[in-house]
Amino acid sequence: MSSDAALSGQKITVLGAGMVGVCTALELQRRGAVVTLVDRGAPGQETSFGNAGVMARSSLIPMNNPSMLAALPRMLRNKSAALRYDPLFLARNAVWVAQFLANARRSRFLETATALDQLIRLSIDRHLHLLAEHGLNGHLSDRGWVFLYRQLAGFESGAANRAVMADHDVPTEILDQSALRDLEPGLAPIFPKALWVKGSYTVNNPGAVVSGYAQAFARMGGTIVQEQAVTITEAEDQVTLHLTDAPEIVSDQIAICLGPWAKPFLEASGFRVRMGFERGYHRHFTGNRDDGKAPQLGRPVYDTAGGYVLSPMQAGLRLSTGVELADCEAPRNTRQIEQAEQAARQAIDLGARTDDTTWLGRRPTFPDSRPAIGMAPGSRRVALGIGHQHIGFTTGAGTAVMLAEIMSGRPCPIDAAPFRTDRYIRRK
Ligand SMILES: Cc1cc2nc3c(=O)[nH]c(=O)nc-3n(C[C@H](O)[C@H](O)[C@H](O)COP(=O)(O)OP(=O)(O)OC[C@H]3O[C@@H](n4cnc5c(N)ncnc54)[C@H](O)[C@@H]3O)c2cc1C
């Protein structure tokens, strides 16, 4: 893509330097805009740092799907590793909860799966391009990832979601215990069935990938500002970003890519936002780092009954948890990751921990599990790329392409209607 007349010379601010914001800054810069990227910290140090590093076509299945409805009575006991919740959060966010469940109905779920599939395909293509272009292919692996099943009944209950993957041409292979042992010999023989999702990618250091993209943006002349943002005000011919400790930044357009913190920021700027937080934790273990020995895991695995994902990373084996529904800034609760650690120790020799704090991240989720991508309701200068739930490391790249096209006034390469920003965002 070359410089674009619609954006050439336009001053654009991108707020938030996670995967979504950094990719958006790169795409706008590529189209000739003069881009300033603002974050309170260094690029890629929040949610985009701590995830499982999976970029997979299978992620078209959101958490709220029909099989979740079937598992709901068990989940409501609030003991499952896959889902924990703060009852007060659910009470305060009753409308979000009701809409989240309503969107698990088959017809709505299928619409979402098809929309996410388009966004994931666009995103993976774009990541492959960006990783190669910016010399970051060393972080990439194309060995896919594996869903593990401890009981045949668990595998059977995934049949409907496997059918949806097949309908969208997601390449998979069903493995029995011996085929799984050949693929991942480090796993204990406690999984009679597994599903290997192929044609999918993983990275071994998500934070380094975001930071590598940000460095490329700076090398090509982009400006990075490290400041805390407070609000925006929009006028007929410009938009102003107000910062805590620095002069305001005035631009022609702004893209808000603040991940979970988009809700408080937009609410302070005159919007109402219906967003939930699917929080998750991670810890690292020595696992595959015994020098001179083959890695214990060749690819990330998702223990569906254990409710965790284990990913081989540069930092060791990263154990990340399922969902904790709680306020964005509620105190951390390590019960879920302790439960996940116990389950993971049954599956593999985890070894010793390599970190002393447990990382906490927040997956920002709209009730239909689709991100909001496009101009903010009623605005000509404020664009949004927020609400990427479990898959924003992947879909940041495709979101960026869509935002850059929308901010140029051009049609998107995929249908943008399912991602309209007015689904759950209103002006006050
Ligand atoms: C446990 C876990 C596992 C996950 N695994 C995967 C996975 O395998 N694959 C996948 O695709 N996705 C995964 N995700 C989801 C993915 O990590 C997120 O969707 C993605 O990182 C979101 O990126 P973002 O740019 O929207 O947000 P963030 O990375 O959170 O970036 C937001 C930025 O905004 C900045 N900011 C906030 N407030 C302000 C302010 N007032 N002023 C200035 N700056 C501000 C923050 O400093 C931050 O840098 C996982 C998430 C979790 C929690």
Side-chain angles (χ1 to χ4, degrees), residues 19-20 39-40 47-48 51-52 54 229 389-394:
M19 181 56 98
V20 179
D39 198 293
R40 62 188 176 193
T47 331
S48 299
N51 56 73
V54 174
Q389 40 106 341
H390 295 235
I391 56 172
F393 184 80
T394 311

Side-chain angles (χ1 to χ4, degrees), residues 24 74 80 95 105 149 158 160 169 182 236 331 344 349 384 405 409:
T24 301
R74 187 167 31 83
S80 116
V95 176
R105 278 176 301 134
Y149 298 91
D169 300 320
D182 292 344
E236 183 61 30
D349 182 7
L384 306 177
E405 294 299 76

Side-chain angles (χ1 to χ4, degrees), residues 15-22 38-55 59 227-230 257-262 265 278-282 320-322 359-364 385-395:
L15 179 57
M19 181 56 98
V20 179
V22 170
V38 180
D39 198 293
R40 62 188 176 193
Q45 292 309 300
E46 292 281 359
T47 331
S48 299
F49 160 83
N51 56 73
V54 174
M55 305 198 293
S59 300
E227 290 292 343
Q228 170 96 19
V230 191
C257 306
L258 287 175
W261 297 282
F265 181 84
E278 301 185 59
R279 306 192 334 163
Y281 298 85
H282 87 214
S320 48
T321 61
W359 179 85
L360 164 65
R362 298 105 176 139
R363 306 170 180 101
I386 56 176
H388 290 78
Q389 40 106 341
H390 295 235
I391 56 172
F393 184 80
T394 311
T395 52

Side-chain angles (χ1 to χ4, degrees), residues 22 59 79 91 103 121 124 145 173 186 213 225 228 234 291 302 345 372 382 393:
V22 170
S59 300
K79 293 198 166 120
N103 275 287
R121 286 174 190 253
I124 291 180
W145 74 317
E173 183 179 332
Y213 285 176
V225 171
Q228 170 96 19
E234 191 178 353
D291 290 338
Y302 168 33
R345 287 196 184 281
V382 180
F393 184 80

